[in-house]
Amino acid sequence: MAASDRPHENAVDIGILADRTRRRQRREKIVTHICLLVGILIFVFPIYLTLIGSTHDVNTIGRGDVPLLPGAEALHNYTQAWAAGGGRYMGVPAATMLTNSLIMALCVAVGKIAISLTSAYAVVFFRFPLRMVFFWLIFITLMLPVEVRIIPTIQVMVDMGLTNSMAGLVIPLIASATATLLFRQFFLTIPDEYVEAAKIDGAGPIRFFIDVVLPLSRTNIAALFVILFIYGWNQYLWPLLIVSDRSLETVVVGLTKMIGTGDQQNEWNVIMATAVFALLPPVAVVVFMQRWFVKGLTETEK
Amino acid sequence: MRKKVIFKGTLLPYLLLAPQLVITAIFFFWPAGQAVYQSFLREDAFGNSVQFVGLENFLDVVNDQTWLDAAGRTLVFSGSVAALALGSALFLAVQADKHIRGADVYKTLLIWPYAVAPAIAAVLWLFMFHPNIGLFGRMLNGLGVPWDYRLNGSQAMLMVIMASAWKQVSYNFIFFLAGLQSIPRSVLEAAAIDGARPARRFWTIIFPLLSPTAFFLLVVNLVYAFFDTFGVIHSLTHGGPGKATETLIYRVYVDGVINVNFGSSSAQSVILMILVVALTVIQFRYVERKVHY
Amino acid sequence: MATLTLQDIKKSFGATAVLHGVDLDVQDGEMIVIVGASGCGKSTLLRIVAGLETETSGEVLIAGQSMKGLEPADRDVAMVFQNYALYPHMSVFQNMAYGLKIRRMPKDEIVRRVDQAAALLGIGHLLQRKPRELSGGQRQRVAMGRAIVREPKLFLFDEPLSNLDAKLRVELRAEIRRLQRRLGVTSLFVTHDQVEAMTLGDRLVVMNAGRAAQIATPMEIWERPADTYVAGFIGSPSMNLLHATLEAGGGAAILDAGGLRLPFADGPRAGAAGRKLTIGVRPEHLRLGEGGLGVMVELVEPLGGESVLHGKLADGTPLTARLPGARYGDGPMQLMLPPELLHVFDGETGKRIEAGG
């Protein structure tokens, strides 16, 4: 962008000005790079430190001599974390916790998408009594996060015998206003003519849903899947409340239980290896599906 | 936009809605109703009898100095988290939106922390700032700063704020970047030709155009700081030392789950629900206005 | 292939009446074009025939059978939409085959029909493409193909050419006409373009404000428009409509502007002296000549072989003339109105008044 807001008396002035501008632009570019690198450092360094920590033996970390280069204990630490767990009370193997987290995240994501698709389809493509009432009932659940209704929700779970079960972990989290809103928004953009063409072709509502609406929603489903997978994986308060059976422990909750009050004597090497396990799947999903994810996020929340 | 072409069907739409509605009714409306109901009841110390006490639970809550302290703390905490997370995200988004080499790599590297659970973010910060095993924790102590967030309340607060904000930056970054990219290039070019320098362009053109995004994010960040940071606090400080990091939501958890005081916990829940509703309404009001303009 | 009969079709959306009772008889194999300005109810009429809208009263009969209460799928009609409505995730083949697949037609029969239709339309090489990889004209052909493979009783066209550029529109117009003749399928074609209507239809239905203003062959409509609306709508530039009064005896009209006397060549009109009339004359029927109508020309549009002149009469009434050649300038001019080519309408109702009537 040229600095052209000054009257130029002659060619020499312009030459100097252009030179100065070019130098300023180069300087600005360098500053931008530095700012971004510092930003990235702040985000990457904690992970780096954790990765490094997970390759040293317990005493190195316990002493506090955290080196900045990898050690030789990676295999040992990760094997122990995977197969046996760690922490002072010999916790749950990461393999178990990761499986639980994976099942929970997948079920939550798939379940939310499934019931949101069908309910949005009903609201958009049909007219029936109480349609808008139902829509608003779903809509206002936006305002009721788990956190504000902890106690009575646990009571419901206890009454239904759903505590300490995978079903209990998943089902209550499946209802989703955001996903329903997203699909409703998208369905409204499907041209009326598709429905009309389908009617003339002889397709009924269920056929139209399967043959036309679902394929057209692919992108939205993929985007939402990424967000909901992470949502399910990262649940904290809910598993903490619902599950006491440690064989159902999810990795996020399990990890903080391993740390406890943060004693120096913890098996920090195993804890750090577990932290890496806990981080890896959702981060991988975000990085590999970045395009879907960004689109999904910015569209869901608007 | 309204669809005018629809399918006929009487039973089918209800069947399609049923799963969502059943789950919503059982796990959202029933418990929320229970929370409201229980907030008007009180159980005696042995759990033998329950009586209706009207607004007494609410009065107890708002007259309780420790609750008011928690409220004040929540305000400081949420304000700091939102300011920190929004400010740094906006700064980074503006940098990443410039035409520089490697912009896409920068973006990817700034987006991924979205995937980190709040509780995990807390653990990562613990690894860095633990007074005994953390690199920076030891460094601070080595420099003569008595650093131990497990004993010092202000340091604990600082830790939960930093960890919570750290986790939220990438979310804000994504939205600010999307907002920046939706500003028509021609508007910026017009400003450049009008003679506005980059800094001036930012404050007079870009920032006003981003303000709807910023406002939306402010609400989201406040809600995040109120509720989602439970994991950060629970895994890092357990509300301590003392009550130094006990926010309102943590308090609900302590009173309800640990102290099993249903009445008070429910009353607190109801107050929080009203807060969320208010925030959501403000947000939708604002979004509506934005649509008109 | 079938006949189509509409009996007194009425339609209201809430309190707004869109159709006020339309009657129409379509012969087997006939191409009927429904033409009118936007909002005249022409699309609604088509959608009622398709079964996409339900008529408020009246009846649709296809091949003599009442369609009351039947779903679109059960009416055996095919439709070509304005924006084509091709399913974006299906290939051309799948789009064309979809309706047949739903009707559980054997696979080899589907392939045979699609190939045949594709060959007919010259889109055989596009069958595996997705709609977004096609040009506008190709999409249009696929949309036609989807209708053709069904071998329906009735083709319904809802402004299928209006999303295309002018050149392509002319090309496809001719193609649709050829195809329709060749297949002999009874067709309803909705358009707002009067040139399209004139060139495509065996007969036209000119719609105005929810009524069929005139149903006739294109030439009949052009030569004997039923009222001033039809007169002004069909033909380009539009017919000049001038206020006049009937002379005693009904043998001539006196123009309000300038008092020029216009004798009727085909015989006197009924009515008392001073009856209000509207005289219509097409721009291309005006000729230069002394002792004619005095016009002040304000704008000349040369079109090459001929010119369109825009001017005003003494009282300010605008007048358009289309004259051969290109040597015209602004300024006063005298124009003759040929008596045998005048159209006479009632000044109040706008209805055509025939000689002796």
Side-chain angles (χ1 to χ4, degrees):
Chain A
M1 266 151 264
S4 53
D5 56 345
R6 244 172 276 171
H8 308 307
E9 299 306 317
N10 54 51
V12 179
D13 268 350
I14 293 177
I16 295 171
L17 193 59
D19 203 41
R20 215 183 294 152
T21 307
R22 213 167 315 148
R23 250 178 295 146
R24 201 196 61 225
Q25 282 172 345
R26 195 175 320 131
R27 212 164 46 234
E28 278 170 2
K29 272 207 169 134
I30 293 170
V31 171
T32 304
H33 279 285
I34 292 173
C35 290
L36 286 167
L37 285 171
V38 169
I40 286 166
L41 193 68
I42 292 173
F43 287 102
V44 172
F45 189 71
I47 307 279
Y48 178 76
L49 207 60
T50 311
L51 273 172
I52 295 300
S54 68
T55 63
H56 288 280
D57 67 53
V58 64
N59 294 325
T60 313
I61 307 172
R63 277 200 312 274
D65 296 328
V66 199
L68 283 174
L69 291 170
E73 295 297 311
L75 192 65
H76 167 263
N77 293 342
Y78 281 96
T79 325
Q80 194 196 329
W82 180 263
R88 290 215 289 168
Y89 310 100
M90 287 311 282
V92 188
T96 310
M97 298 196 289
L98 287 169
T99 313
N100 290 332
S101 283
L102 189 68
I103 295 175
M104 177 173 173
L106 284 176
C107 291
V108 167
V110 171
K112 263 182 188 275
I113 288 171
I115 72 171
S116 302
L117 271 172
T118 57
S119 49
Y121 188 70
V123 170
V124 173
F125 288 96
F126 292 89
R127 293 286 172 275
F128 50 92
L130 300 180
R131 185 176 71 99
M132 285 321 279
V133 173
F134 289 144
F135 178 70
W136 282 105
L137 282 181
I138 295 170
F139 184 78
I140 59 177
T141 57
L142 268 184
M143 303 176 188
L144 297 172
V146 174
E147 287 83 354
V148 301
R149 51 192 167 84
I150 301 172
I151 309 302
T153 311
I154 300 176
Q155 281 169 351
V156 171
M157 300 301 287
V158 171
D159 293 344
M160 296 180 76
L162 281 171
T163 51
N164 276 322
S165 69
M166 188 49 83
L169 273 181
V170 171
I171 295 172
L173 296 181
I174 276 182
S176 174
T178 27
T180 311
L181 285 177
L182 173 77
F183 284 126
R184 173 180 171 269
Q185 229 30 57
F186 172 67
F187 290 168
L188 286 173
T189 67
I190 294 179
D192 278 346
E193 282 83 353
Y194 287 174
V195 186
E196 297 184 330
K199 281 184 172 184
I200 287 173
D201 278 340
I206 294 175
R207 246 208 121 114
F208 184 70
F209 182 69
I210 294 168
D211 285 350
V212 179
V213 172
L214 274 188
L216 290 179
S217 312
R218 267 185 315 212
T219 323
N220 286 289
I221 292 174
L224 211 51
F225 179 84
V226 180
I227 292 166
L228 295 177
F229 180 85
I230 290 164
Y231 166 86
W233 186 276
N234 288 352
Q235 282 299 313
Y236 188 81
L237 180 57
W238 188 243
L240 185 71
L241 295 174
I242 294 304
V243 170
S244 53
D245 180 349
R246 299 211 74 187
S247 68
L248 276 171
E249 200 82 271
T250 57
V251 72
V252 176
V253 177
L255 180 68
T256 61
K257 282 190 183 165
M258 283 166 85
I259 293 170
T261 50
D263 270 3
Q264 202 174 348
Q265 283 73 34
N266 274 342
E267 281 184 278
W268 289 108
N269 55 334
V270 181
I271 293 176
M272 288 181 177
T274 312
V276 173
F277 279 138
L279 271 168
L280 224 49
V283 170
V285 167
V286 163
V287 171
F288 289 120
M289 297 180 78
Q290 186 179 333
R291 203 160 54 85
W292 307 114
F293 152 72
V294 171
K295 172 183 153 48
L297 195 65
T298 43
E299 279 174 18
T300 331
E301 304 275 353
K302 277 285 163 176
Chain B
M1 187 172 22
R2 201 124 202 250
K3 268 213 156 3
K4 42 186 211 292
V5 181
I6 47 146
F7 286 106
K8 286 182 189 130
T10 40
L11 191 59
L12 188 60
Y14 293 101
L15 286 177
L16 290 169
L17 269 170
Q20 178 94 284
L21 286 175
V22 168
I23 292 174
T24 307
I26 297 177
F27 298 106
F28 283 74
F29 289 112
W30 173 250
Q34 284 288 307
V36 174
Y37 176 63
Q38 283 174 353
S39 67
F40 295 108
L41 301 179
R42 183 168 296 169
E43 208 168 345
D44 69 25
F46 306 102
N48 293 331
S49 68
V50 175
Q51 64 181 119
F52 182 80
V53 292
L55 289 175
E56 221 170 282
N57 285 326
F58 290 96
L59 292 175
D60 283 359
V61 166
V62 296
N63 286 325
D64 179 350
Q65 190 54 45
T66 61
W67 189 84
L68 290 173
D69 289 345
R73 216 176 284 128
T74 308
L75 219 58
V76 172
F77 170 75
S78 307
S80 312
V81 170
L84 207 56
L86 286 169
S88 31
L90 179 57
F91 178 76
L92 289 171
V94 169
Q95 305 306 319
D97 191 43
K98 291 181 182 161
H99 289 280
I100 51 165
R101 210 172 306 152
D104 285 339
V105 179
Y106 286 131
K107 284 174 201 163
T108 306
L109 286 173
L110 287 168
I111 281 172
W112 66 265
Y114 172 85
V116 179
I120 304 275
V123 171
L124 296 179
W125 279 72
L126 179 147
F127 290 159
M128 288 194 293
F129 283 95
H130 193 283
N132 304 122
I133 67 149
L135 179 67
F136 297 121
R138 278 171 54 88
M139 212 184 269
L140 284 168
N141 282 310
L143 291 170
V145 182
W147 171 267
D148 191 343
Y149 65 88
R150 296 174 304 174
L151 301 174
N152 182 318
S154 325
Q155 291 177 1
M157 184 52 108
L158 193 63
M159 275 288 276
V160 289
I161 289 174
M162 294 300 287
S164 304
W166 182 87
K167 187 256 166 306
Q168 192 63 6
V169 168
S170 58
Y171 180 94
N172 298 341
F173 174 79
I174 292 165
F175 277 89
F176 275 133
L177 198 60
L180 285 169
Q181 284 168 349
S182 71
I183 295 175
R185 204 126 295 274
S186 58
V187 171
L188 299 178
E189 284 164 356
I193 288 173
D194 282 343
R197 300 285 175 157
R200 203 195 170 99
R201 279 209 293 277
F202 179 80
W203 290 111
T204 57
I205 313 280
I206 298 177
F207 192 73
L209 287 173
L210 271 185
S211 62
T213 310
F215 182 81
F216 159 80
L217 285 175
L218 177 65
V219 176
V220 170
N221 279 252
L222 288 178
V223 172
Y224 162 79
F226 285 168
F227 302 115
D228 291 344
T229 53
F230 174 86
V232 176
I233 296 168
H234 187 256
S235 55
L236 207 51
T237 66
H238 288 275
K243 290 183 179 300
T245 52
E246 188 181 87
T247 58
L248 288 177
I249 190 66
Y250 203 83
R251 172 84 189 233
V252 175
Y253 168 77
V254 170
D255 283 350
V257 179
I258 298 176
N259 301 337
V260 207
N261 184 346
F262 288 167
S264 172
S265 171
S266 298
Q268 294 179 42
S269 292
V270 171
I271 293 172
L272 287 180
M273 268 190 243
I274 293 167
L275 201 66
V276 188
V277 171
L279 276 174
T280 315
V281 169
I282 291 173
Q283 181 171 345
F284 274 91
R285 267 279 170 87
Y286 190 82
V287 168
E288 248 169 49
R289 196 138 45 91
K290 191 182 86 186
V291 169
H292 288 300
Y293 127 99
Chain C
M1 274 165 274
T3 60
L4 168 70
T5 309
L6 305 184
Q7 292 174 348
D8 196 25
I9 300 287
K10 290 184 181 162
K11 176 72 182 175
S12 337
F13 292 105
T16 4
V18 180
L19 294 173
H20 300 279
V22 176
D23 289 282
L24 178 66
D25 270 299
V26 184
Q27 303 303 307
D28 188 7
E30 199 177 14
M31 175 80 144
I32 296 284
V33 177
I34 306 174
V35 62
S38 60
C40 70
K42 57 189 191 300
S43 276
T44 308
L45 189 63
L46 189 78
R47 293 160 55 82
I48 286 174
V49 175
L52 294 169
E53 303 278 6
T54 311
E55 60 278 9
T56 308
S57 71
E59 192 139 25
V60 177
L61 298 115
I62 298 177
Q65 281 178 315
S66 169
M67 292 290 121
K68 193 129 259 167
L70 283 191
E71 290 285 329
D74 302 323
R75 297 186 176 208
D76 200 10
V77 299
M79 187 152 166
V80 180
F81 294 89
Q82 178 173 359
N83 62 3
Y84 321 132
L86 300 177
Y87 307 119
H89 59 292
M90 296 185 191
S91 68
V92 168
F93 179 89
Q94 287 168 322
N95 262 289
M96 288 169 70
Y98 189 61
L100 304 179
K101 219 176 90 193
I102 288 175
R103 288 180 170 74
R104 295 174 202 286
M105 187 173 282
K107 189 128 206 298
D108 49 340
E109 171 69 4
I110 295 181
V111 173
R112 194 188 62 74
R113 281 206 194 179
V114 172
D115 282 346
Q116 201 179 10
L120 196 63
L121 291 159
I123 52 171
H125 58 296
L126 302 174
L127 285 178
Q128 296 317 314
R129 300 245 189 113
K130 292 276 171 67
R132 65 165 178 279
E133 299 163 325
L134 303 178
S135 68
Q138 290 169 332
R139 284 182 211 179
Q140 178 53 50
R141 286 193 172 86
V142 176
M144 298 259 304
R146 177 162 73 179
I148 291 172
V149 293
R150 289 266 317 281
E151 299 181 4
K153 290 207 185 87
L154 212 58
F155 278 154
L156 305 173
F157 298 88
D158 189 4
E159 307 219 20
L161 301 176
S162 51
N163 282 4
L164 299 172
D165 63 57
K167 187 168 169 290
L168 209 52
R169 195 151 53 203
V170 173
E171 234 173 83
L172 276 167
R173 191 167 76 199
E175 196 167 327
I176 288 179
R177 187 61 175 139
R178 267 198 300 276
L179 268 172
Q180 194 269 338
R181 285 244 176 89
R182 179 156 162 199
L183 299 168
V185 179
T186 315
S187 303
L188 278 189
F189 190 108
V190 163
T191 180
H192 63 268
D193 179 341
Q194 48 110 0
V195 179
E196 214 165 278
M198 294 287 282
T199 48
L200 269 173
D202 290 321
R203 282 191 297 153
L204 310 189
V205 178
V206 183
M207 299 272 299
N208 178 24
R211 288 192 175 80
Q214 189 170 10
I215 304 176
T217 64
M219 279 323 285
E220 257 176 77
I221 285 181
W222 194 77
E223 282 167 355
R224 297 161 42 78
D227 58 27
T228 47
Y229 177 82
V230 177
F233 189 79
I234 299 289
S236 174
S238 291
M239 185 186 280
N240 295 299
L241 296 168
L242 309 171
H243 295 299
T245 43
L246 193 63
E247 191 190 66
I254 310 295
L255 275 190
D256 289 359
L260 188 70
R261 182 173 180 277
L262 301 170
F264 300 135
D266 51 352
R269 265 58 177 180
R275 179 182 179 182
K276 292 265 171 261
L277 298 176
T278 300
I279 298 297
V281 60
R282 295 204 179 272
E284 55 269 43
H285 292 153
L286 290 166
R287 284 294 167 261
L288 282 175
E290 288 304 313
L293 192 55
V295 184
M296 181 59 74
V297 175
E298 293 174 339
L299 176 69
V300 178
E301 295 173 333
L303 301 175
E306 53 188 10
S307 302
V308 175
L309 283 62
H310 300 274
K312 285 210 170 94
L313 302 186
D315 67 345
T317 312
L319 188 90
T320 312
R322 201 160 117 191
L323 303 175
R327 305 170 312 277
Y328 302 96
D330 295 356
M333 186 180 274
Q334 303 256 314
L335 290 170
M336 302 294 290
L337 288 73
E340 68 282 5
L341 292 169
L342 292 181
H343 303 265
V344 186
F345 303 100
D346 186 281
E348 261 117 44
T349 63
K351 294 272 177 251
R352 183 179 191 84
I353 306 171
E354 298 290 359

